[in-house]
Amino acid sequence: MAGEARVRERAAARADRGGAGQARPAPGGRRVREPRLTRTRSRAGTVVARTSGLLGLSSTRRAAILAIVVCALALTVAVALRNYVAQRQELAAVQQQQRALAAEVAQLQEQKARLSNPDEVAAEARSRLGYVRPGEVPYVVQLPDTPSPADVEAARKATPWYRTLWSDVTEGAPR
């Protein structure tokens, strides 16, 4: 009986506080229980149940799996893109080489057409090989070599300064 008394005391105390959770008789004689205001407690089971969605995985695990999938796709695309760019560069180099060879072929065909003329062949033989026709007298004119600027500079450095000065003084004097 002591237990029943405690229950009644608690019910009375609740009624004094606002009556939340107390069963009151309804107009039809039925007892209707009013909703009790309770604090929301965070329970581990309810938190996991709320956050687990797809395949029972938490949002952190889903994010990690998504990151792995995105990285795998990026690596797959990167390898293919690298191969594509390398092939494009190689193709550009081959096309440049092909253009150079086509220009060389055109030049050689022009030279072939020019050398098909017998007079042109005779002129080339005279100038490059020194051929002469029968009855002609060949003369070869040899011009003196002009010294290069490096040879002139080396000769200037080989003479002492006082001789250079003396030659400048004696050449500049009136005679």
Side-chain angles (χ1 to χ4, degrees), residues 34-52:
E34 292 183 13
R36 290 176 39 185
L37 297 175
T38 59
R39 282 191 229 158
T40 308
R41 294 183 187 166
S42 173
R43 294 189 179 120
T46 59
V47 171
V48 171
R50 288 183 191 147
T51 59
S52 65

Side-chain angles (χ1 to χ4, degrees), residues 90-106:
E90 185 178 345
L91 179 65
V94 168
Q95 286 176 343
Q96 177 66 26
Q97 185 180 10
Q98 185 179 11
R99 283 192 293 271
L101 289 174
E104 185 179 353
V105 165

